[in-house]
């Protein structure tokens, strides 16, 4: 019997954290097909057949009314 486990990985941070996510994506998927440099939300579905990668840039330094870290975490999980 084949058992599929769907994983949801969340990354909340700056460009360094986005780079770590992309390195892990490459390991899971055996290739990095998209190295987007977003300062927002990115979602990659079904990498390695069973893993979703989600990234939200934090802090939004250009926005003086930026959300707190906790609020950003909540926003990230709501986007799923």
């Amino acid at each position: 019997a084949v058992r599929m486990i769907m994983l949801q990985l969340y990354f909340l941070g700056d460009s360094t954290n986005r780079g770590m996510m992309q390195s892990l994506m490459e390991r899971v998927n055996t290739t990095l097909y998209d190295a987007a440099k977003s300062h927002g939300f990115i979602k990659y579905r079904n990498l390695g057949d069973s893993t979703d990668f989600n990234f939200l840039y934090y802090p939004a330094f250009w926005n003086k009314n930026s959300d707190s870290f906790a609020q950003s975490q909540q926003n990230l999980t709501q986007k799923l």
Side-chain angles (χ1 to χ4, degrees), residues 32-73:
L32 180 60
Y33 65 88
D34 184 16
K37 294 187 176 180
S38 172
H39 286 90
F41 176 72
I42 307 172
K43 181 175 186 94
Y44 298 96
R45 294 183 181 265
N46 295 325
L47 296 179
D49 294 326
S50 62
T51 306
D52 287 356
F53 286 77
N54 305 282
F55 173 80
L56 182 64
Y57 193 89
Y58 180 86
F61 55 85
W62 58 90
N63 182 354
K64 291 183 181 182
N65 298 320
S66 183
D67 292 335
S68 68
F69 188 81
Q71 183 62 45
S72 294
Q73 282 180 307

